[in-house]
Amino acid sequence: MTNPPARSPRLLLIATVVLAVAGVILLTVPHTPSAPATSAPPRTAAPTPYPSATAVRGRTAQASGSASATASTGSTQSAGASVLPPHGEGVAGDAVIQQSLEDAWPADLAADEEQRLLAAGRGLLRADATGIGRAKWPAIFGNPDQAIAPAFSTARFRIQAAIARRDGSRDKAVVHLVWAAADRGGTYTDRRITDWYFTRTSTKGGSTWTPQPRT
């Protein structure tokens, strides 16, 4: 039996040095992973300096809703205030009818002219309906002896409301009247409507409103 030759101490030393150098090199080289794992950043709500579009639309919708509700309430109150009284309400409802006429047709005549036209319009209506005072306007009603008999009784005749307004030009006007009366048969009806038209004739002393015959 033969013994293996003894290893040279110098060879072992060289091998040790080589292994040590190799280890140092491996430790100093940076490690680069072949497939680096990417992690998603955490979901955090970043503060925004301006409100989002959804928030703006929400506030706009709320504001529009509030405005609509306010307008609707105002319209309802206005409509309620202008509702005409029921038929047969009597004198108590006349003020509401008068206010409704004034709201529908704002004044456009001088106050003194309006009063003159209203007085003439009321007189013409009474003369036409009941026959009282027709002699004052012969151009309208003709000969009293040949005039048509009045159709309404004087007992329950009442003018409920009246306004005078321009009729397309400064020299034309119309008196709009709402009235109530009972006919010869006893049938009572309120909120009847009659219009009398006038033209103005200017003179040196002023102007005169002349009623036009009804056609």
Side-chain angles (χ1 to χ4, degrees):
M1 180 174 182
T2 61
N3 294 326
R7 295 181 178 178
S8 173
R10 183 177 293 177
L11 180 62
L12 292 175
L13 179 60
I14 294 172
T16 300
V17 172
V18 170
L19 291 174
V21 173
V24 172
I25 293 173
L26 289 175
L27 290 175
T28 57
V29 174
H31 177 70
T32 303
S34 59
T38 58
S39 58
R43 295 182 179 179
T44 58
T48 56
Y50 302 102
S52 64
T54 303
V56 172
R57 285 196 298 268
R59 286 197 293 268
T60 302
Q62 291 177 358
S64 299
S66 300
S68 298
T70 303
S72 176
T73 302
S75 299
T76 301
Q77 293 175 349
S78 177
S82 63
V83 172
L84 294 177
H87 286 281
E89 180 73 8
V91 179
D94 292 353
V96 177
I97 299 175
Q98 178 68 38
Q99 188 62 51
S100 297
L101 289 180
E102 294 176 357
D103 291 342
W105 293 284
D108 55 6
L109 288 165
D112 58 337
E113 290 187 333
E114 183 176 3
Q115 293 305 315
R116 280 189 290 163
L117 285 165
L118 286 173
R122 290 189 178 102
L124 285 164
L125 174 60
R126 181 180 296 274
D128 186 41
T130 67
I132 297 176
R134 287 184 177 180
K136 185 178 179 180
W137 290 282
I140 301 296
F141 300 107
N143 188 343
D145 296 333
Q146 300 178 354
I148 300 175
F152 297 92
S153 170
T154 60
R156 302 184 67 185
F157 176 84
R158 184 177 88 257
I159 296 176
Q160 298 179 270
I163 58 171
R165 299 292 185 262
R166 289 182 179 176
D167 184 33
S169 72
R170 62 183 304 273
D171 292 326
K172 293 183 178 181
V174 57
V175 177
H176 187 75
L177 304 111
V178 181
W179 55 288
D183 60 25
R184 293 296 180 179
T187 302
Y188 178 82
T189 306
D190 60 357
R191 287 180 19 202
R192 298 175 181 269
I193 296 174
T194 296
D195 290 330
W196 283 98
Y197 293 88
F198 294 78
T199 57
R200 177 165 53 184
T201 303
S202 298
T203 60
K204 292 183 179 180
S207 61
T208 302
W209 288 100
T210 303
Q212 302 302 297
R214 297 184 63 187
T215 56

